[in-house]
């Protein structure tokens, strides 16, 4: 049990409740991206396929169309780096938690992929999903995906919520603290089970202009191809 975190949460609870209600009231509700959630860069049959699954970032919240989103832009960067034809597909649901995503995927047809990247954590942070449950759900997700996607599941680092300008202090810092706890679960799993998980650190959007207008989601500039923003195994 992370006693300091929970003691802080209890002590600040009245303030956090007021701030949370204000954020829900005042933060713009951005739609999921429009357009096809798939495509490719290059001609002919794909040499490599990228699949992104997860919550709002995978759903393209914060950008206008899916070709501006994470999956498309990662595929574009791979295409530019290798010269090969790279296909991409994204499947995300705004507001979903990991346990819900697992149930959703059980009834969702997914395409072939050589690399599957999971973009999750924000809703499990705000929903205070226990770390033991988050870890158990990650293992269940891997077990469900492994028969079709044997390569390690790529775990994209939990977004640093302490940098979300939509959140006031101290709520922002408490959510950042909790997000780091869930991110540690990612790191531990990748270290203990490298055949099943790989941790990918997505550089934090320290420039507020990289966020969408809601101050909560990555905007178009944050997902645009850049060597500095390619997910790496170390931060």
């Amino acid at each position: 049990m992370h006693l300091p975190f929970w003691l802080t949460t209890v002590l600040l609870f009245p303030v956090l409740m007021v701030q949370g209600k204000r954020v829900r009231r005042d933060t713009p509700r951005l739609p999921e991206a429009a357009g096809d959630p798939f495509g490719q860069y290059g001609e002919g049959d794909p040499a490599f396929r990228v699949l992104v699954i997860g919550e709002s970032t995978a759903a393209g919240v914060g950008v206008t169309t899916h070709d501006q989103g994470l999956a498309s832009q990662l595929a574009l960067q791979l295409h530019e780096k290798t010269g090969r034809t790279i296909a991409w597909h994204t499947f995300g649901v705004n507001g979903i938690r990991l346990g819900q995503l697992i149930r959703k995927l059980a009834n969702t047809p997914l395409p072939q992929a050589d690399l599957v990247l999971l973009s999750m954590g924000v809703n499990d942070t705000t929903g205070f999903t226990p770390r033991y449950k988050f870890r158990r759900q990650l293992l269940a997700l891997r077990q469900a995906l492994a028969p079709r996607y044997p390569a390690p599941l790529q775990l994209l680092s939990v977004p640093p919520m302490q940098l979300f300008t939509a959140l006031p202090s101290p709520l922002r810092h408490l959510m950042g603290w909790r997000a780091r706890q869930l991110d540690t679960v990612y790191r531990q799993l990748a270290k203990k089970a490298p055949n099943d998980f790989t941790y990918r650190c997505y550089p934090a959007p320290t420039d507020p202009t990289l966020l969408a207008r809601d101050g909560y989601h990555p905007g178009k500039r944050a997902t645009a191809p850049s060597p500095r923003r390619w997910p790496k195994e170390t931060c």
Side-chain angles (χ1 to χ4, degrees):
M1 184 175 182
H2 237 112
L3 189 58
F5 171 81
W6 292 113
L7 285 176
T8 303
T9 301
V10 171
L11 290 172
L12 293 176
F13 185 75
V15 176
L16 300 175
M17 283 290 292
V18 171
Q19 290 186 334
K21 289 180 180 179
R22 188 176 301 155
V23 168
R24 286 191 293 271
R25 182 192 67 200
D26 297 341
T27 302
R29 296 293 188 267
L30 301 183
E32 297 184 2
D36 292 330
F38 56 86
Q40 75 175 44
Y41 293 98
E43 301 296 329
D45 293 333
F48 195 80
R49 298 172 176 85
V50 175
L51 170 63
V52 174
I53 57 175
E55 53 188 2
S56 56
T57 297
V61 176
V63 298
T64 305
T65 56
H66 280 298
D67 60 4
Q68 299 170 341
L70 178 62
S72 171
Q73 297 305 306
L74 291 181
L76 175 57
Q77 185 159 332
L78 279 173
H79 170 67
E80 292 176 342
K81 287 167 67 75
T82 65
R84 297 192 297 170
T85 297
I86 309 295
W88 63 271
H89 190 108
T90 189
F91 176 81
V93 181
N94 191 14
I96 204 167
R97 296 190 198 180
L98 184 54
Q100 296 168 322
L101 178 68
I102 293 171
R103 293 190 291 273
K104 189 80 172 178
L105 290 174
N107 299 306
T108 301
L110 294 175
Q112 291 182 323
D114 302 291
L115 179 149
V116 180
L117 186 146
L118 178 69
S119 175
M120 287 294 299
V122 169
N123 295 304
D124 284 285
T125 295
T126 59
F128 292 97
T129 299
R131 287 173 297 157
Y132 79 88
K133 181 178 291 187
F134 193 65
R135 182 181 185 277
R136 187 174 65 198
Q137 290 170 346
L138 287 167
L139 292 170
L141 176 62
R142 170 57 182 167
Q143 184 177 20
L145 295 177
R148 186 166 187 185
Y149 306 111
L153 177 62
Q154 309 291 304
L155 304 174
L156 188 63
S157 53
V158 179
M161 296 187 68
Q162 71 275 9
L163 300 179
F164 288 9
T165 57
L167 303 178
S169 180
L171 178 62
R172 179 172 69 249
H173 299 292
L174 193 79
M175 289 296 95
W177 189 356
R178 186 60 178 173
R180 288 191 295 272
Q181 292 177 352
L182 295 189
D183 195 66
T184 298
V185 176
Y186 277 175
R187 293 174 185 265
Q188 291 172 343
L189 275 178
K191 184 176 181 180
K192 292 180 179 179
N195 292 329
D196 291 317
F197 301 99
T198 298
Y199 177 80
R200 294 290 178 183
C201 178
Y202 199 79
T206 52
D207 181 354
T209 64
L210 294 176
L211 294 173
R213 62 183 177 86
D214 64 353
Y216 203 85
H217 293 94
K220 181 179 177 180
R221 288 185 59 224
T223 56
S226 166
R228 293 181 62 251
R229 289 193 289 274
W230 176 255
K232 300 177 181 179
E233 293 188 33
T234 57
C235 293

